[in-house]
Amino acid sequence: PPAQTVTVRVSDPEILRKLESIEDPQQRQAFCERAFRIGVLALDSATSRLDAEKAQIYFEQNVRSLHGQLQQDLEHWRVEFRDDLMSRMQKTSQDVLDRELPKLGASLKRDVDLNSLSVQLRQTFLDNLNNAAKSLQASSQTQNDLLTKSVHQLQQTLT
């Protein structure tokens, strides 16, 4: 690239002292060119660094925003999944109950019938046992009466 002439006005006392300390005009010119080059590159680097810092801040803000949105989306999906799962579980439970409850009802009815039969059999057995006891008691009384009569007749015969 072609060279450009730049006129710079210097008012900073420290820089003025440094420039005045260089007596040779060519060395002063070379020093100014080097200083100018270093300054421009430093500013360019600083600008790039500032741009990088801005980009990093922008990136971090976006990451935080995306993180928040992702958390909201995950919570929404979790709730949808939970609700869907609960709905399916309720339907499956209802299907199982609808299918098995009649069987259980029949089983319970059979158990109730068996229990009722058992109660009836027990009552019949107790009634029969009671009748047998009464019968035995009556028979025993009859035998006792016959025995007493026989003993009484024997006594009369002997006397």
Side-chain angles (χ1 to χ4, degrees):
Q4 291 186 12
T5 302
V6 177
T7 304
V8 179
R9 180 181 153 100
V10 179
S11 59
D12 186 290
E14 198 173 331
I15 294 175
L16 285 172
R17 276 193 299 276
K18 180 61 180 171
L19 291 176
E20 289 171 355
S21 71
I22 305 171
E23 294 178 13
D24 183 11
Q26 286 181 336
Q27 283 183 348
R28 189 179 312 126
Q29 180 64 33
F31 176 80
C32 285
E33 287 173 4
R34 279 195 326 271
F36 189 73
R37 183 178 193 299
I38 290 170
V40 168
L41 292 176
L43 284 173
D44 189 45
S45 175
T47 301
S48 295
R49 192 173 309 126
L50 288 174
D51 288 345
E53 287 174 6
K54 286 180 187 176
Q56 183 177 359
I57 290 169
Y58 177 76
F59 175 77
E60 288 172 357
Q61 288 172 342
N62 281 331
V63 165
R64 279 192 291 273
S65 173
L66 289 172
H67 180 261
Q69 184 61 45
L70 181 60
Q71 282 183 319
Q72 288 175 352
D73 289 347
L74 285 174
E75 178 62 17
H76 175 74
W77 293 334
R78 186 190 67 76
V79 167
E80 277 186 352
F81 178 76
R82 182 201 62 205
D83 292 348
D84 181 56
L85 184 61
M86 292 298 289
S87 174
R88 284 195 221 173
M89 287 174 64
Q90 286 174 338
K91 183 176 179 350
T92 301
S93 298
Q94 190 61 50
D95 290 348
V96 168
L97 284 174
D98 289 347
R99 187 177 61 242
E100 297 298 324
L101 204 53
K103 294 177 188 175
L104 181 62
S107 175
L108 287 173
K109 184 176 182 332
R110 188 175 57 245
D111 289 348
V112 167
D113 290 345
L114 288 176
N115 190 32
S116 176
L117 180 62
S118 174
V119 167
Q120 288 173 355
L121 286 174
R122 187 176 23 228
Q123 188 59 47
T124 301
F125 176 75
L126 288 174
D127 288 347
N128 287 340
L129 190 60
N130 198 14
N131 288 338
K134 285 179 184 176
S135 209
L136 187 58
Q137 185 179 17
S139 173
S140 183
Q141 184 63 40
T142 303
Q143 285 178 356
N144 195 20
D145 287 347
L146 283 175
L147 187 58
T148 304
K149 203 182 217 183
S150 293
V151 167
H152 200 318
Q153 282 177 355
L154 188 60
Q155 283 178 343
Q156 281 182 352
T157 307
L158 289 175
T159 41

